[in-house]
Amino acid sequence: MFFFQNPSLIRLGLKAPLVTNKAVSNVFHKTTPSSIAATIKNIAAKRSLSAVSTSNVTFATSSALRFNARGSSFFTSPTRSFSTSLKQLNIASQSASKPTSKWPANSHKAVGYLCIGTSILVFAIVVLGGLTRLTESGLSITEWKPVTGALPPMNEEDWIAEFEKYKASPEFQLLNSGMDLDDFKFIYSMEWSHRLLGRIIGMVFVLPTFYFIATKRVSLKTSAKLLGICGLIGLQGAIGWWMVYSGIDTNLLEERRSKPTVSQYRLATHLGAAFVVYCAMISTGYSVLRNQWIMKNPSEYAKYFQQIQSKSLSRFKLFTKGMFGLIFLTAMSGAFVAGLDAGLIYNTFPHMGEDWIPSKAELFDPVYSRVKDQADLWWRNMLENQATVQLEHRILATTTAIVVFATHMYSHRIKTIIPRHAYKWLNISMGVVTLQYILGMCTLLYLVPTDLAAAHQAGALTLLTCALLVINNLKKPSKANMMILKKYLEESAKKSGAKPLN
């Protein structure tokens, strides 16, 4: 961190016509740009996690470093005392002698491609899960067999056996008693496909992860993230069965006073876990690939680094994080709408029936309370009353659209200091949220048709992706690219003339 906390030392190496006082000249009269770069190289070598390649050297971040086209530096902060810099240099040198790690500082680019590629499969399974719910196929498989369940019924006898198991379920007895074997084959195939894709995602991600970790092709920090994602994938399978069980267990249905359908709480948990896995993959993969980009494009990185370190971006970063959280919350409220079939009532917009909102008596109906003193009246209506849940989703969706629009308009005022890619993804977010809002209205007005409802769910994840990429393009870099700075400083020193100070 030494060089970036003391920009005066870097300025000394990059700016040829440096104007200094006599004390400074006496100490540094023999210092050249190349010697500064060499000093940085030595410090980088001491701080490196591995000296094998350029990807194994620690990079400390700076809010003061900026480069112009000639390779010279220019700083807005005043020159700091060189005596302080020398003192900190001695401290840094003494504390730099640490044992090197066998883990690389930067992960291989294949790790990034693995995360991004698998996230596409997660996106697909979210959409397929929505279709499974919309076709009411989720309760067709009444057993959880993580391994043997990967095989579908192989002959007619197997199909009949599975159908008999389904006939014993509350859904068949109360809702689908007229279903024949052909109809059952369709809903069974939908649920089986959903589960199979989940197994494929686990295999595609977990096995390469173990390989990359075993061969140490990932950084220690990234390996922890990958293992965390692996754990979430396994947990997601258990959450999925936990959700399905809420719709086939008679006791749970009686406790909820519900028809045979999954619990909206467990549905939201299942969807939320899928979103977390997806976002973790996108964020991890993007970080890995960005580090690779930094290594190949140090000059572009210098400009990018200058922008994200600006204090003027603090408010904008806060807005984008709030926007991301609001989008996620709105998507989770959509899961409650789906779990309660709340989209099948009040199919008007913007009014709900003849009024803007239903009456208070309907929004907070005592029938949903389960205790004598009705202490749970408020929160149970908020989470279990169809009318209240739909109103909440309308409010959150509208608020999200307004926040995205406001953030988008604010970005135009500070366009010059926003990284290009962050600005691009925010513009895309504005278009996606507009389309998503229209899809939501159409889904409601047309009584939740399967195609529109599936597109609406896909739109929610697409919007969340755009917001996540805005945030990732505003993140400060990791400490894994000190060699990039060293190389760039060397090149800048050569361009500046490398003349000693007199």
Side-chain angles (χ1 to χ4, degrees):
M1 296 295 182
F2 163 71
F3 292 98
F4 304 95
Q5 294 172 351
N6 297 272
S8 54
L9 190 56
I10 298 177
R11 183 188 292 115
L12 179 63
L14 293 180
K15 193 171 183 180
L18 182 66
V19 179
T20 59
N21 56 39
K22 293 183 179 180
V24 173
S25 299
N26 292 334
V27 176
F28 291 98
H29 68 281
K30 294 184 179 181
T31 304
T32 64
S34 58
S35 66
I36 293 296
T39 303
I40 293 179
K41 179 179 179 180
N42 293 333
I43 296 297
K46 291 181 180 180
R47 290 180 175 269
S48 64
L49 297 176
S50 173
V52 177
S53 65
T54 59
S55 64
N56 298 333
V57 186
T58 306
F59 174 57
T61 58
S62 168
S63 60
L65 180 60
R66 299 178 184 174
F67 298 100
N68 64 11
R70 297 180 180 176
S72 59
S73 61
F74 48 96
F75 296 86
T76 56
S77 59
T79 303
R80 302 174 69 177
S81 171
F82 281 104
S83 60
T84 304
S85 299
L86 287 173
K87 182 179 180 181
Q88 293 187 2
L89 176 58
N90 292 331
I91 296 174
S93 301
Q94 294 173 4
S95 61
S97 56
K98 297 181 180 179
T100 58
S101 171
K102 295 181 179 180
W103 296 89
N106 283 336
S107 302
H108 193 276
K109 62 181 179 181
V111 178
Y113 293 137
L114 170 67
C115 292
I116 299 299
T118 312
S119 71
I120 297 174
L121 294 178
V122 176
F123 190 102
I125 200 173
V126 169
V127 176
L128 181 57
L131 290 171
T132 302
R133 175 184 52 79
L134 290 165
T135 55
E136 299 182 352
S137 305
L139 302 179
S140 57
I141 302 178
T142 58
E143 296 176 325
W144 189 41
K145 298 178 179 178
V147 179
T148 59
L151 296 175
M154 306 303 292
N155 51 53
E156 195 70 10
E157 292 181 358
D158 292 343
W159 278 112
I160 293 175
E162 292 297 326
F163 192 30
E164 290 300 322
K165 295 176 184 177
Y166 178 67
K167 286 182 178 180
S169 69
E171 183 180 59
F172 178 85
Q173 295 173 1
L174 298 176
L175 300 178
N176 295 335
S177 58
M179 178 178 287
D180 58 20
L181 183 59
D182 290 336
D183 293 333
F184 172 72
K185 287 181 179 180
F186 171 76
I187 64 172
Y188 185 98
S189 298
M190 290 292 297
E191 174 65 10
W192 178 82
S193 299
H194 181 61
R195 297 190 185 191
L196 178 65
L197 185 53
R199 292 181 174 95
I200 291 174
I201 290 172
M203 296 288 287
V204 167
F205 190 84
V206 173
L207 294 182
T209 292
F210 288 163
Y211 168 76
F212 287 134
I213 293 177
T215 56
K216 288 185 170 57
R217 303 185 74 182
V218 296
S219 66
L220 187 60
K221 183 177 181 180
T222 302
S223 66
K225 292 180 180 179
L226 295 179
L227 290 175
I229 295 173
C230 290
L232 284 174
I233 292 174
L235 180 62
Q236 175 71 332
I239 292 175
W241 171 248
W242 177 63
M243 176 191 68
V244 170
Y245 189 73
S246 68
I248 62 177
D249 184 76
T250 305
N251 293 331
L252 289 176
L253 292 173
E254 291 178 353
E255 181 182 346
R256 290 164 43 210
R257 306 172 187 174
S258 171
K259 65 180 182 179
T261 184
V262 299
S263 165
Q264 71 272 21
Y265 298 103
R266 301 188 184 189
L267 175 63
T269 303
H270 190 49
L271 182 65
F275 276 33
V276 170
V277 170
Y278 175 81
C279 291
M281 288 180 176
I282 290 288
S283 185
T284 303
Y286 186 85
S287 296
V288 171
L289 295 178
R290 183 183 65 171
N291 285 338
Q292 294 293 327
W293 172 74
I294 291 173
M295 293 172 64
K296 294 180 180 179
N297 301 278
S299 59
E300 288 295 323
Y301 166 69
K303 300 175 185 178
Y304 164 82
F305 182 71
Q306 171 190 344
Q307 289 178 308
I308 62 174
Q309 290 292 93
S310 173
K311 292 183 179 180
S312 301
L313 274 183
S314 299
R315 180 180 298 178
F316 182 71
K317 290 178 181 179
L318 183 62
F319 285 170
T320 57
K321 290 177 181 179
M323 181 180 74
F324 176 83
L326 191 56
I327 293 170
F328 186 90
L329 180 62
T330 304
M332 293 305 101
S333 74
F336 277 83
V337 172
L340 293 169
D341 290 327
L344 299 177
I345 64 172
Y346 288 117
N347 301 106
T348 55
F349 192 87
H351 292 81
M352 295 183 69
E354 297 180 354
D355 299 319
W356 286 98
I357 61 174
S359 64
K360 183 179 179 180
E362 183 178 357
L363 292 175
F364 297 96
D365 194 337
V367 73
Y368 291 95
S369 177
R370 298 184 188 177
V371 293
K372 293 182 179 180
D373 60 355
Q374 295 187 350
D376 60 346
L377 175 66
W378 182 82
W379 71 265
R380 283 200 180 275
N381 275 276
M382 294 286 289
L383 300 175
E384 298 177 6
N385 186 333
Q386 287 179 308
T388 310
V389 168
Q390 188 190 119
L391 176 62
E392 292 164 4
H393 189 61
R394 289 182 183 222
I395 293 173
L396 284 171
T398 303
T399 304
T400 298
I402 294 173
V403 168
V404 173
F405 176 74
T407 306
H408 173 70
M409 295 304 295
Y410 178 68
S411 70
H412 294 326
R413 296 176 55 189
I414 56 172
K415 179 180 178 180
T416 55
I417 64 172
I418 299 177
R420 178 169 55 89
H421 293 295
Y423 185 75
K424 177 189 71 176
W425 281 110
L426 184 58
N427 288 336
I428 295 174
S429 299
M430 188 63 232
V432 173
V433 76
T434 303
L435 179 61
Q436 176 69 348
Y437 200 83
I438 295 172
L439 278 173
M441 289 189 295
C442 293
T443 301
L444 182 67
L445 295 174
Y446 289 97
L447 299 176
V448 196
T450 301
D451 50 356
L452 284 178
H456 188 50
Q457 181 163 314
L461 192 51
T462 302
L463 180 58
L464 191 71
T465 304
C466 295
L468 180 63
L469 289 173
V470 173
I471 293 174
N472 273 277
N473 277 288
L474 294 172
K475 279 185 177 180
K476 294 181 179 180
S478 65
K479 300 177 182 179
N481 292 288
M482 184 67 149
M483 185 60 72
I484 305 306
L485 174 63
K486 188 268 302 183
K487 284 188 174 182
Y488 193 67
L489 281 174
E490 287 178 344
E491 293 175 0
S492 300
K494 291 178 182 178
K495 292 178 181 179
S496 65
K499 297 180 181 179
L501 296 175
N502 296 321

